[in-house]
Amino acid sequence: MITKRIIPCLDVKNGRVVKGVNFEGLADVSSPVSLAKYYSENGADELVFYDITASAEGRALFTDALREVASQIFIPLTVGGGINTVEDFDRVLKCGADKVSVNSGAIRRPELISEAAKLYGDQCVVISADVKRVDGVFRVFAKGGRENTGMEAISWIRHCVELGAGEVVVNSIDTDGVKGGFDLEMLKAVSDAVNVPVIASGGAGCIDHFTSLFKEIPEIDAGLAASIFHFGEVKIPELKKALADEGICVRI
């Protein structure tokens, strides 16, 4: 049985961790360095660091905070935001990232995925897809959920995996920050379409939501959340104990 991963997400803007609802109304939370260290010491399996305004602002990802975060943790680190070239991959990896997440950069130039996979290996390339229902169809959004690309999401994600993405993060804009549960319909559709690890993101509000995720979609590899961990509503050791009690394999 594959061990399920629990992954906190640091959405970073201007060097601070922020959190909003449906990708809007961002509120300041904490220092990314102190939060990252806390999660590393308290049971997180991995950490995701997103510079959430880099693409929309047309700039490179901030590296100072990233270097400091990487130096403080002892778990795998995935980094995204403003990744548009293989040079961006190289820069972020040299700052301490283990994997690089690409979203808008791949939408603009899909061959970036295959170029990076050839240089650094499929396991290093993570496709992050911000997905929202538009007239009942899953659509891909770019620039931190601000821009509807018009692309159908499931076929886009499948294409990215064919190009060499070794992991998929599915961010449901519909459920982001609402705390009503993961978007199981969307996640099942993605899991059925690809044969690489899929990480669920958007909607977690309590321990039961993780239990439902892993029980209803056993293929899902990981659950990612932000505010419920940041504000102490769910503590990772307690979450993992509850999952283990339900027969779900986690690293304690």
Side-chain angles (χ1 to χ4, degrees), residues 6 179 181-182 203-215 228-229 232-246 248:
I6 302 300
K179 300 183 183 178
F182 289 101
C206 63
I207 286 174
D208 286 348
H209 291 156
F210 286 88
T211 305
S212 298
L213 170 70
F214 294 130
K215 286 201 160 186
I228 60 165
F229 295 145
E233 296 163 52
V234 172
K235 291 185 169 56
I236 292 174
E238 293 169 8
L239 168 58
K240 287 189 166 186
K241 183 182 184 306
L243 291 172
D245 288 347
E246 290 287 333
I248 297 163

Side-chain angles (χ1 to χ4, degrees), residues 80-101:
I83 306 296
N84 294 296
T85 65
V86 289
E87 288 78 19
D88 290 329
F89 270 80
D90 187 65
R91 184 167 51 86
V92 168
L93 291 168
K94 283 176 176 169
C95 286
D98 299 284
K99 293 182 275 189
V100 180
S101 176

